[in-house]
């Protein structure tokens, strides 16, 4: 029997038990407060972004991967404020902070790196998706599998599930839910809610392994297109990293998202090009403590 989202969310408490969810840092809260003012102070914004040098470095890498004009290079916080819309600026800053805070051990880095890569691809594909900004798409890609981190801390053998979820994103997600009575997607959504991410990001994450997402989100086309965006972006990242992941089920996963969005083949080519340019180990790796 398929568990409801309410049941999965309730059971997620068992996974989180004994684990501490990171609190939102003061600079994020202050940045959000500044951005809600009628006349935000750009100097204050730049100073808040620059407060942590390690986070600034990662933020600038993420920001450069999200700039529409790829001939423009953002070298400091002041340039970021001038070149990126303030709403997008906050989304990307929050993403960079979250990427760093969740890495508590070296093995976490690969998961976060993959999330950043998926975000890069999703941001590129957002050009073909109505009413989705590059920063929203990036945040979506980053958030989707953050639940992996908490599942791994709960079960040391969870890495086996991660590998299987990549090759069989539909069937193994069903097995995961039955085995744990919850799943990583729900955990990702819970964390996104705790960090006050918008519903447009948080809710679609719960459906990114659900073959029936179109029917279940029939009254929320905006959410459905975000789910489809994750599917296609994940396919590009997985199939680019290792040919062993390229199963028929992963192709079906891609096709379901691609057909719902009506993406042309050139969109997938652009996504791969963005991944190659910005997602390599030499270009963009999540920072650690």
């Amino acid at each position: 029997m398929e568990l409801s989202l309410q049941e999965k969310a309730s059971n997620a408490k068992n996974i989180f038990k004994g684990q501490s969810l990171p609190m939102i840092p003061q600079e994020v809260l202050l940045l959000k407060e500044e951005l809600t003012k009628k006349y935000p102070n750009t100097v204050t914004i730049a100073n808040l972004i620059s407060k942590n040098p390690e986070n600034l470095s990662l933020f600038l890498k993420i920001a450069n991967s999200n700039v529409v004009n790829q001939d423009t290079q953002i070298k400091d916080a002041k340039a970021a404020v001038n070149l990126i819309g303030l709403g997008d600026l906050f989304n990307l800053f929050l993403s960079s902070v979250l990427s760093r805070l969740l890495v508590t051990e070296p093995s976490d880095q690969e998961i976060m790196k993959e999330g950043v890569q998926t975000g890069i691809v999703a941001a590129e594909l957002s050009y073909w998706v109505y009413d989705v900004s590059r920063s929203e798409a990036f945040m979506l890609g980053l958030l989707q599998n953050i639940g992996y981190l908490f599942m791994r801390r709960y079960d040391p053998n969870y890495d086996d599930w991660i590998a299987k979820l990549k090759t069989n994103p539909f069937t193994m997600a069903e097995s995961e839910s039955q085995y744990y009575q919850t799943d990583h997607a729900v955990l990702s959504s819970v964390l996104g809610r705790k960090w006050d991410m918008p519903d447009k990001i948080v809710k679609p994450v719960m459906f990114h392994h659900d073959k029936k997402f179109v029917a279940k989100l029939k009254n929320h086309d905006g959410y459905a297109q975000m789910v489809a965006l994750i599917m296609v972006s994940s396919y590009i990242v997985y199939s680019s990293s290792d040919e062993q992941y390229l199963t028929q089920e992963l192709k079906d996963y891609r096709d379901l998202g691609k057909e719902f969005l009506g993406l042309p083949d050139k969109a997938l080519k652009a996504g791969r090009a963005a991944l190659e340019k910005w997602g390599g180990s030499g270009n963009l790796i999540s920072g650690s403590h």
Side-chain angles (χ1 to χ4, degrees), residues 16 18-26 28-29 94-104 108 112 143 146-147 149-150 153 187-188 190-197 289:
F16 283 125
Q19 301 190 48
S20 57
L21 296 180
M23 301 299 292
I24 303 178
Q26 184 183 32
V28 174
L29 297 174
L94 178 63
S95 296
S96 64
V97 172
L98 188 62
S99 298
R100 288 190 61 256
L101 283 182
L102 289 177
V103 175
T104 61
D108 292 340
M112 292 309 303
L143 180 64
I146 277 178
L149 299 174
F150 298 94
R153 292 164 195 165
L187 269 63
S188 298
V190 170
L191 185 71
R193 178 73 66 207
K194 181 179 177 64
W195 275 56
D196 201 26
M197 292 183 180
H289 295 294

Side-chain angles (χ1 to χ4, degrees), residues 85-148:
L86 295 184
D88 287 337
L89 189 81
F90 179 77
N91 287 344
L92 298 179
F93 183 68
L94 178 63
S95 296
S96 64
V97 172
L98 188 62
S99 298
R100 288 190 61 256
L101 283 182
L102 289 177
V103 175
T104 61
E105 54 186 72
S107 58
D108 292 340
Q109 285 198 0
E110 190 61 31
I111 291 173
M112 292 309 303
K113 174 188 169 185
E114 201 168 77
V116 171
Q117 290 176 326
T118 307
I120 289 170
V121 174
E124 188 67 24
L125 295 182
S126 69
Y127 174 82
W128 286 272
V129 182
Y130 175 72
D131 199 29
V132 178
S133 71
R134 292 181 71 91
S135 71
E136 289 172 336
F138 180 87
M139 184 181 286
L140 181 74
L142 178 69
L143 180 64
Q144 60 158 339
N145 288 332
I146 277 178
Y148 282 166

